[in-house]
Amino acid sequence: MHIIDWIVVAAYLTWIIWTGIRMSHSTKELDGYLLAKRSLPWWAVGLSVMATQLSAITLVSATGQGYADGMRFVQIYFGLPLAMIILSVTLVPFFYRARVYTAYEYLEQRFDVKTRTLASVFFLLSRGLSCGVVVAAPSVILAIVLGWNLTLTILAIGIPTAIYTIVGGVQAVTWTDVKQMFIIVGGLLAAVVLLIGGLPDGIGMMGALQVAGTAGRLTSVDFTFDMTQTYTFWSGLLGGLFLSLSYFGCDQSQVQRYLTARSEDEGRGSLLMSAYFKIPLQALVLLTGVLMFVFYLFNAPPMLFNPKHDERIQQSPRAAEYKSLEAEFNAAFELRREASTTLATASGAEREAARTAFESADDTLSGIRSRAATLVGEITGDETYRGRTGDTPAPDVNYVFPTFVTTYLPVGIVGLVIAAIFAAAMSSIAAELNSLATSSVIDVYKRLLRPNETDAHYLVASRFFTGFWGLFACVVAMFAAGLGSLIEVVNRFGSFFYGSLLGVFVLALAFRNVNGHGAFAGLIGGIGTVAIFASHPATRDVSFLWHNPLGMIAVVVFGLIVSALTGGRAKEALR
Amino acid sequence: LLARIAPDTWLYNSPMQRVYIGVVVCEVLVIAALWAFGRAFA
């Protein structure tokens, strides 16, 4: 990386840490530190909600997904706007009127302490581990692509984030999120402009899109009903609806964002901001990936984007075989470039022949890339090289965008985009650290261990737990970085948990006769049901999006049965 | 049931009602635009 890019990244880090530390003046009380005294405007909270959800891995993976598989991924967000409306009329008023710090506090008001504790412990476990993965994923990619030391990269992301979150609390999280959102969008727009500018002379934007469309990269809506497919209209609308309800309604890292808003309506407004802008923003991220695909039709891409095993392949006895594949790939790329140019400039009757020639050239290139991935898998024993995303080897997807940035973008813009990746990571991590500390202090430390301490004591405890979770995330990240399967386990664990947690809140709001025993048993039953469903040979191919409605329904069924067997409910629902 | 789970529904909160309807209308328009965009270049 050029010295100017280093300066841009360093300036970004300094600016963000300074912004966070400046917020320390308004965090002298627990209410200010954890909830900003419920004083923040809807637009700042709304941007914070969006920044928290847009992690670095979303930014890097989704652009790679756009490159490899086109715009189909956007369908996963089709349920989100409807979820925001449902939450605005249901959970948001309950949380505001209950004056809670955490979503799980409400479960004690409605059920009992064991249900609250179980829900918060599940949250702390899954979110604590996933926070480590959120630190690890971009660190691994940046370390490989930029040749940085992995441990230092993890610390460069984790430590500044922990510092400003410890010092500035939720105010720091929100106001840094606002600035980070502008950096992320700015970085993406800069990449889009340069990608469009990188098209060769004589190739217009319409012609380029024609080629992308022929390669299937612009198909965004697929009305097929197939529960094994994640990226269809129905999976996105229904499965995505329940995923969004769970994530934004029951996950403390999101609930805490809108609990900081000035009023109930401002809290709603912050959620509805995502309802309006999330799909267009995600479409922009994916379109960046599609434009990278177009760019690489006319500019030579590497045969494989992930350089992780390069050295090992060069030193293996099959190095010559790999080199010969590279020569074949380069020749096939030249043929595809010609076919792409012909298709982009063809009109009328010529177009059909040009389309057939392009499809054939693209298939040949993809075939060579697949053979190269198989070879790397055989040499290194890396099982992930068996998987495919679209026509691209699965381990390559996360490396497309960083490779493009570091290879083709001009000095200064590279620093801006790397800063955007840092911003996406830090905004998610800060919100998670803040919510983990809040739940640790309010749901566990204050409720179960030290109930009668002063406000100042809990404030110190909150700062301590923020630091503890920051350290925990960095340690998990160092382990997760070397264990690909751990990342999958953490994500799978999260998907078991989300629908079930939503089910407990549905029991709380919609069913009068459910008691604490029912809710507690329902939560365990729901998670168990999803775990069995996800691992059973007959159902394990069903997309994870459907785990959310399944978990919710299982909790409701178990909760109603156990409540009926244990004498119904004792407490009135909170108004 | 609706009154219990939605204490402040759009039925009697008119400023938010317009926002909710706007969300649904915008979502339909965005999905239609994405679908048409894909069809135009398929």
Side-chain angles (χ1 to χ4, degrees):
Chain A
M1 220 163 68
H2 193 277
I3 184 73
I4 293 174
D5 296 317
W6 280 106
I7 292 169
V8 172
V9 174
Y12 156 75
L13 286 173
T14 311
W15 181 48
I16 287 300
I17 294 172
W18 175 240
T19 302
I21 289 175
R22 272 177 53 216
M23 295 299 154
S24 62
H25 65 272
S26 50
T27 56
K28 303 287 185 254
E29 295 122 28
L30 193 65
D31 192 35
Y33 187 76
L34 299 180
L35 293 182
K37 297 182 179 169
R38 300 174 201 267
S39 64
L40 299 178
W42 66 271
W43 57 269
V45 180
L47 285 171
S48 180
V49 165
M50 290 176 73
T52 301
Q53 203 206 4
L54 201 133
S55 71
I57 200 65
T58 312
L59 184 66
V60 171
S61 277
T63 44
Q65 189 90 24
Y67 170 88
D69 199 31
M71 304 277 291
R72 295 190 317 135
F73 183 78
V74 75
Q75 294 170 107
I76 204 171
Y77 296 100
F78 283 177
L80 185 145
L82 302 179
M84 295 310 199
I85 295 175
I86 294 171
L87 290 173
S88 293
V89 298
T90 55
L91 276 175
V92 172
F94 277 101
F95 287 152
Y96 270 91
R97 290 166 203 189
R99 307 292 295 173
V100 291
Y101 280 90
T102 74
Y104 318 116
E105 259 185 291
Y106 174 69
L107 291 179
E108 182 176 358
Q109 294 179 2
R110 169 64 181 85
F111 296 123
D112 54 22
V113 68
K114 68 175 181 295
T115 307
R116 168 187 179 177
T117 305
L118 184 66
S120 60
V121 166
F122 275 132
F123 165 74
L124 291 172
L125 270 178
S126 68
R127 192 46 73 189
L129 289 171
S130 84
C131 191
V133 173
V134 171
V135 178
S139 302
V140 171
I141 296 163
L142 291 175
I144 289 174
V145 173
L146 297 167
W148 293 352
N149 176 287
L150 179 62
T151 306
L152 288 180
T153 312
I154 287 171
L155 296 177
I157 292 175
I159 288 180
T161 315
I163 289 173
Y164 75 71
T165 313
I166 290 170
V167 175
V170 77
Q171 293 253 24
V173 173
T174 305
W175 291 112
T176 52
D177 278 358
V178 170
K179 293 180 176 175
Q180 283 161 333
M181 256 324 266
F182 284 103
I183 291 171
I184 294 166
V185 175
L188 274 174
L189 289 175
V192 166
V193 168
L194 290 162
L195 279 163
I196 293 170
L199 290 174
D201 292 340
I203 305 290
M205 192 60 204
M206 296 302 275
L209 289 175
Q210 190 68 52
V211 184
T214 303
R217 296 302 197 277
L218 296 178
T219 304
S220 322
V221 188
D222 174 4
F223 288 103
T224 312
F225 188 85
D226 180 352
M227 290 176 78
T228 63
Q229 295 290 318
T230 302
Y231 310 126
T232 67
F233 177 82
W234 299 110
S235 287
L237 190 71
L238 298 174
L241 169 70
F242 284 93
L243 177 66
S244 299
L245 284 172
S246 314
Y247 181 57
F248 291 98
C250 315
D251 188 307
Q252 179 64 16
S253 69
Q254 286 295 338
V255 172
Q256 194 166 350
R257 307 296 103 234
Y258 55 81
L259 286 180
T260 60
R262 279 177 193 149
S263 66
E264 213 172 292
D265 273 352
E266 297 233 5
R268 288 187 176 115
S270 67
L271 279 182
L272 293 168
M273 189 174 184
S274 286
Y276 277 105
F277 295 112
K278 183 64 191 176
I279 295 177
L281 178 67
Q282 201 59 41
L284 172 69
V285 174
L286 289 165
L287 188 66
T288 309
V290 173
L291 290 172
M292 274 195 301
F293 171 77
V294 171
F295 180 86
Y296 279 125
L297 291 174
F298 304 102
N299 298 277
M303 183 163 66
L304 294 178
F305 285 92
N306 186 342
K308 184 178 163 190
H309 297 304
D310 276 1
E311 206 173 313
R312 205 162 154 196
I313 292 160
Q314 304 300 336
Q315 289 167 357
S316 86
R318 300 176 74 181
E321 199 180 330
Y322 190 79
K323 205 160 183 55
S324 141
L325 267 178
E326 270 185 326
E328 217 180 308
F329 179 83
N330 291 338
F333 165 73
E334 287 304 329
L335 285 176
R336 191 182 69 168
R337 175 157 63 182
E338 282 169 30
S340 305
T341 308
T342 310
L343 178 59
T345 52
S347 59
E350 296 168 353
R351 185 164 280 172
E352 207 45 48
R355 173 194 288 265
T356 310
F358 169 79
E359 285 171 346
S360 165
D362 194 41
D363 285 348
T364 305
L365 198 82
S366 300
I368 297 168
R369 193 172 257 162
S370 289
R371 281 159 53 204
T374 307
L375 182 61
V376 173
E378 286 169 6
I379 293 171
T380 61
D382 190 338
E383 293 284 318
T384 58
Y385 276 89
R386 289 185 181 181
R388 295 280 178 278
T389 300
D391 59 5
T392 304
D396 260 21
V397 170
N398 291 342
Y399 292 83
V400 178
F401 186 58
T403 304
F404 163 75
V405 169
T406 51
T407 313
Y408 287 104
L409 292 191
V411 169
I413 302 295
V414 174
L416 174 67
V417 179
I418 299 293
I421 295 173
F422 266 73
M426 291 167 79
S427 58
S428 302
I429 296 159
E432 293 186 6
L433 295 182
N434 186 239
S435 60
L436 284 164
T438 305
S439 185
S440 302
V441 171
I442 302 295
D443 294 322
V444 180
Y445 185 75
K446 185 178 177 189
R447 177 65 185 84
L448 302 175
L449 303 176
R450 303 285 288 271
N452 300 314
E453 298 293 343
T454 60
D455 202 59
H457 177 92
Y458 294 125
L459 182 59
V460 172
S462 300
R463 292 188 200 276
F464 168 79
F465 276 108
T466 307
F468 166 80
W469 285 112
L471 191 65
F472 181 83
C474 289
V475 172
V476 170
M478 285 175 199
F479 282 105
L483 296 168
S485 59
L486 181 63
I487 294 175
E488 194 185 321
V489 168
V490 170
N491 287 339
R492 201 166 268 265
F493 182 66
S495 75
F496 293 172
F497 163 76
Y498 268 146
S500 303
L501 195 55
L502 176 65
V504 179
F505 281 92
V506 170
L507 283 177
L509 297 183
F511 297 94
R512 283 182 183 279
N513 293 325
V514 175
N515 60 25
H517 299 312
F520 186 80
L523 187 51
I524 292 173
I527 290 169
T529 303
V530 175
I532 292 167
F533 187 83
S535 54
H536 194 277
T539 49
R540 68 176 160 216
D541 288 336
V542 171
S543 165
F544 74 94
L545 282 177
W546 295 99
H547 294 170
N548 296 289
L550 174 75
M552 192 207 78
I553 292 165
V555 170
V556 170
V557 171
F558 277 108
L560 289 172
I561 292 171
V562 174
S563 295
L565 294 175
T566 53
R569 73 174 291 209
K571 290 186 181 179
E572 277 299 309
L574 194 84
R575 275 273 163 257
Chain B
L1 180 71
L2 185 66
R4 192 160 72 243
I5 64 172
D8 199 10
T9 68
W10 64 277
L11 292 170
Y12 48 88
N13 186 347
S14 60
M16 293 311 288
Q17 180 185 0
R18 283 197 291 274
V19 182
Y20 299 147
I21 291 169
V23 167
V24 175
V25 170
C26 278
E27 182 177 14
V28 171
L29 290 176
V30 167
I31 292 174
L34 286 169
W35 177 80
F37 183 61
R39 293 277 295 177
F41 293 103

